[in-house]
């Protein structure tokens, strides 16, 4: 009887603050819990923290070094970005910036280029939609099986200059250049007939 009483007491002990924080983070990562683009961006910051520290809910069950990005990290990002609640919405600025932060945090890569592909597609998805151009659903646009050239705005006129300048600010001074994104930005600028003089320092990003 005494042991049963002890067990009951143990069940009533509330979780500590760190345990609650971890539990909340795990819940925020689940695609079914993502209700909007804001919560998707929040989930991506949890992936970013795991890349930076090598610890956290996204690194459980495998060896993960600090400042490293592997295939599982890329898969987490893909699941978050294609959650049902946001599938038919354009990638937001906050989501794209979270991806840039992950990219900057990862000094070592072992994902066979999956994250770089995802980053380029997500950023162009945001840039196109922010310029009022049509974009396919995320499950199509961000899929590794979908060529970015099949939907990216390569001939559209009216791409927002502010969006291009934002991309340039994000990419300038980075340790690693995303060649796919660089090539597409150059193509978009050409397609939009924007003289380079209108984009000061936009291409000072390692092309």
């Amino acid at each position: 009887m005494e042991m049963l009483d002890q067990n009951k007491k143990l069940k009533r002990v509330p979780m500590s603050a760190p345990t609650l924080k971890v539990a909340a983070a795990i819940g925020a990562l689940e695609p079914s819990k993502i209700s909007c683009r804001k919560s998707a961006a929040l989930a991506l910051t949890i992936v970013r923290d795991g890349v930076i520290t090598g610890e956290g809910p996204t690194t459980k069950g495998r060896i993960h070094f600090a400042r490293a990005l592997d295939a599982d990290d890329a898969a987490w990002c893909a699941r978050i970005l294609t959650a049902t609640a946001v599938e038919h919405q354009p990638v937001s600025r906050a989501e794209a910036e979270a991806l840039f932060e992950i990219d900057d945090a990862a000094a070592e890569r072992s994902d066979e280029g999956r994250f770089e592909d995802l980053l380029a597609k997500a950023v162009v998805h945001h840039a196109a939609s922010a310029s009022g151009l049509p974009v396919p659903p995320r499950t199509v646009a961000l899929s590794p099986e979908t060529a970015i050239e099949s939907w990216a705005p390569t001939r559209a006129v009216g791409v927002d200059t502010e969006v291009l300048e934002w991309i340039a600010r994000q990419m300038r001074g980075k340790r690693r250049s995303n060649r796919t994104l660089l090539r597409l930005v150059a193509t978009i600028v050409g397609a939009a007939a924007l003289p380079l003089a209108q984009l000061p320092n936009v291409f000072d990003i390692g092309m």
Side-chain angles (χ1 to χ4, degrees):
M1 181 65 71
E2 183 178 348
M3 183 175 294
L4 288 174
D5 290 341
Q6 288 178 347
N7 287 337
K8 288 180 180 178
K9 289 179 181 178
L10 287 173
K11 290 178 181 178
R12 287 196 295 269
V13 174
M15 289 190 290
S16 65
T19 302
L20 283 170
K21 187 175 181 180
V22 171
I26 293 172
L29 284 166
E30 291 302 321
S32 61
K33 300 296 183 182
I34 293 173
S35 59
C36 60
R37 295 185 297 176
K38 183 177 180 180
S39 58
L42 175 62
L44 289 171
T45 65
I46 297 172
V47 179
R48 176 205 62 199
D49 292 346
V51 168
I52 292 172
T53 65
E55 301 175 348
T58 61
T59 67
K60 296 298 183 184
R62 68 189 197 279
I63 297 174
H64 196 297
F65 298 104
R67 295 290 177 177
L69 184 148
D70 61 18
D72 285 346
D73 294 315
W76 271 115
C77 293
R79 284 195 295 270
I80 291 165
L81 288 168
T82 57
T84 302
V86 296
E87 177 186 357
H88 294 285
Q89 298 181 36
V91 173
S92 69
R93 179 72 56 98
E95 290 171 294
E97 288 181 345
L99 290 173
F100 273 123
E101 290 173 2
I102 294 170
D103 185 58
D104 195 40
E108 301 294 332
R109 310 290 175 100
S110 58
D111 66 320
E112 300 183 346
R114 177 67 182 102
F115 180 80
E116 182 170 310
D117 178 73
L118 184 66
L119 171 65
K121 290 174 177 175
V123 170
V124 173
H125 199 267
H126 166 69
S129 63
S131 301
L133 302 173
V135 290
R138 297 185 185 204
T139 47
V140 175
L142 307 184
S143 169
E145 282 74 41
T146 302
I148 192 169
E149 291 81 5
S150 69
W151 60 267
T154 57
R155 296 184 180 179
V157 176
V159 178
D160 195 322
T161 304
E162 185 277 331
V163 177
L164 295 172
E165 291 175 336
W166 166 77
I167 294 173
R169 287 195 302 272
Q170 293 294 323
M171 298 184 69
R172 190 175 296 118
K174 301 299 185 185
R175 291 189 301 267
R176 182 187 299 267
S177 294
N178 188 312
R179 295 187 179 279
T180 301
L181 186 54
L182 286 170
R183 185 181 71 252
L184 283 165
V185 170
T187 303
I188 291 170
V189 169
L194 293 172
L196 295 182
Q198 292 184 18
L199 299 172
N201 301 319
V202 162
F203 291 101
D204 183 24
I205 47 180
M207 282 195 71

